[in-house]
Amino acid sequence: MQLNEAILKSLEDIGKLTNYLEVYNNIKKNNYYDFGDAKTPSATVSALLGNFIRNGDTRVKRIKQSGETYLYYLAKNEQAIGIDTLTTVSETKTGKKNNKTKTYSERSLHKLLCSYLKNAGIYSKTIFHEQSTYNADNNQTWTHPDMVGIKFLNLQSRASQNFLKSINKVDAFKISSYELKREVNSDSELKKAFFQAVSNSSWANYGYLVAFEFSDSLNDEMARLNQSFGIGIIELNGNPYQSRELFPARYKDLDFKTIDKLCKINRDFESFIEQAEKLLTAADRYYKSTEKEFEEFCDDYFNNDSEFEDYCNEMHIPLEIQNIPELN
């Protein structure tokens, strides 16, 4: 029996929410797999359980219990375990231990998203709501995106870029809007966050809801909402380059009237539009310097793996084991 098969068999045996140590102990107890002289066999089981999720294997699902702890279960047992049980466990935020482990802020996730987007050729910028001119008006709290991003069409020659821009500047770039959340664990949380993303991205080519953790029990509802409204969904990872676009966003034309409104009420957004326009219209001899200026204006991103590891530790952002230790 291969180790993946032993993990599935153990999840079947246990038949309830369980962690990687219980799975590992069940494998050893029933001699499903010979770990030999492996130094860290339990870490291997943890990594392989995570791989089921990252690789989109629908047989295994998980929820976050607290801090860095995941509970796993077989998808086919979801009804037997009970949706209420899953929701209750994933929403548990009381007690001193949980409060201590869940200390990372929503805004600390921005650098993870920025790095993920930069790797896809998208420049991004945080929009600080508190700097808007209407802070006292609670009726407009869903007007702003948390972050905006822009991707420029990467043509090989500046001549072809200039030609395209002279015909239709809108086709030279695409702008996206991002609504960030720490975790989305219940149906009510999903709907509130999703329609906030719908409202905040009405002006953009693409709108996204982004969270560090989505409960697996919400997959069907996320798919339905995505199909109906076209908002994409991204799940962040402590390693930003292992973040995943769960559902793609649907393209729509820019709403310049709303863009104008956002420029009037928020200086961050206005500056982003100004800097993007400056880069789009830059003459050849100024393009490189203008591009550098625009990149410096946008949010910071990680330059190497050690940077995001240090950042996650500093910000108390869970960083799951990704590498599978060798079994020898």
Side-chain angles (χ1 to χ4, degrees):
M1 184 182 296
Q2 296 183 355
L3 185 50
N4 275 354
E5 295 172 321
I7 289 172
L8 292 171
K9 185 70 170 66
S10 290
L11 289 173
E12 180 75 44
D13 292 344
I14 296 168
K16 60 182 179 64
L17 294 174
T18 186
N19 59 37
Y20 76 95
L21 281 176
E22 290 180 342
V23 173
Y24 165 68
N25 289 332
N26 191 78
I27 292 172
K28 283 198 66 178
K29 174 184 175 182
N30 293 286
N31 295 316
Y32 288 152
Y33 185 84
D34 182 7
F35 290 97
D37 297 327
K39 296 179 180 179
T40 56
S42 62
T44 302
V45 172
S46 174
L48 288 174
L49 280 165
N51 278 350
F52 278 103
I53 308 301
R54 289 186 291 274
N55 295 334
D57 192 317
T58 57
R59 292 174 295 179
V60 177
K61 292 188 176 183
R62 74 179 181 191
I63 61 173
K64 183 176 287 184
Q65 182 182 33
S66 64
E68 302 179 28
T69 303
Y70 289 102
L71 296 178
Y72 295 87
Y73 62 99
L74 288 180
K76 67 179 183 179
N77 293 337
E78 190 166 66
Q79 295 301 318
I81 294 172
I83 296 298
D84 290 341
T85 301
L86 299 181
T87 301
T88 299
V89 174
S90 64
E91 289 181 332
T92 299
K93 293 182 174 65
T94 58
K96 293 182 179 179
K97 182 178 180 180
N98 284 353
N99 288 337
K100 183 177 179 180
T101 57
K102 291 195 174 186
T103 54
Y104 69 95
S105 67
E106 180 181 295
R107 194 158 279 176
S108 68
L109 299 176
H110 286 219
K111 193 167 184 177
L112 298 180
L113 178 58
C114 179
S115 300
Y116 167 74
L117 296 174
K118 188 64 172 64
N119 193 53
I122 299 173
Y123 296 94
S124 59
K125 177 70 174 176
T126 294
I127 305 301
F128 292 99
H129 300 201
E130 56 268 27
Q131 295 183 10
S132 293
T133 58
Y134 64 72
N135 279 337
D137 187 355
N138 291 326
N139 293 323
Q140 298 196 67
T141 55
W142 284 18
T143 301
H144 294 88
D146 288 320
M147 290 179 68
V148 293
I150 186 168
K151 183 169 187 176
F152 299 100
L153 184 60
N154 186 24
L155 299 178
Q156 294 301 310
S157 75
R158 286 288 293 155
S160 58
Q161 290 183 43
N162 291 334
F163 178 66
L164 176 59
K165 287 187 290 185
S166 68
I167 298 172
N168 188 349
K169 285 186 172 63
V170 174
D171 288 334
F173 64 93
K174 296 293 179 287
I175 299 183
S176 301
S177 169
Y178 305 92
E179 178 65 31
L180 271 73
K181 300 296 179 187
R182 282 176 22 131
E183 299 175 359
V184 179
N185 291 314
S186 66
D187 185 78
S188 60
E189 286 181 2
L190 173 62
K191 286 184 170 61
K192 181 178 179 180
F194 192 90
F195 288 109
Q196 189 173 358
V198 170
S199 176
N200 291 347
S201 66
S202 63
W203 56 274
N205 294 129
Y206 301 102
Y208 288 91
L209 171 61
V210 185
F212 190 76
E213 179 75 13
F214 289 100
S215 172
D216 291 322
S217 63
L218 300 174
N219 284 342
D220 290 344
E221 184 63 10
M222 286 193 293
R224 186 189 72 80
L225 292 171
N226 169 261
Q227 179 66 30
S228 298
F229 298 96
I231 296 296
I233 298 178
I234 296 173
E235 184 175 51
L236 286 178
N237 191 291
N239 178 344
Y241 313 111
Q242 292 180 338
S243 299
R244 298 185 299 155
E245 184 181 276
L246 302 180
F247 299 95
R250 189 161 60 236
Y251 175 83
K252 59 183 183 296
D253 293 332
L254 293 175
D255 176 359
F256 289 100
K257 188 172 182 179
T258 302
I259 290 174
D260 182 60
K261 175 185 176 179
L262 288 169
C263 286
K264 288 177 180 177
I265 63 178
N266 188 278
R267 179 57 188 165
D268 287 332
F269 188 88
E270 182 182 38
S271 297
F272 181 82
I273 297 299
E274 288 175 346
Q275 291 286 343
E277 191 274 337
K278 187 176 179 181
L279 182 57
L280 281 165
T281 58
D284 285 355
R285 57 180 174 170
Y286 299 122
Y287 186 81
K288 288 297 182 182
S289 60
T290 306
E291 183 180 35
K292 182 179 179 181
E293 179 184 341
F294 183 71
E295 184 167 352
E296 291 174 349
F297 165 79
C298 291
D299 287 358
D300 291 334
Y301 55 89
F302 302 114
N303 293 303
N304 54 59
D305 287 4
S306 61
E307 284 190 8
F308 75 70
E309 291 173 359
D310 291 342
Y311 180 83
C312 286
N313 288 329
E314 179 184 352
M315 296 296 174
H316 307 286
I317 298 173
L319 185 61
E320 188 182 354
I321 298 171
Q322 302 293 334
N323 297 320
I324 302 176
E326 294 182 4
L327 294 176
N328 54 40

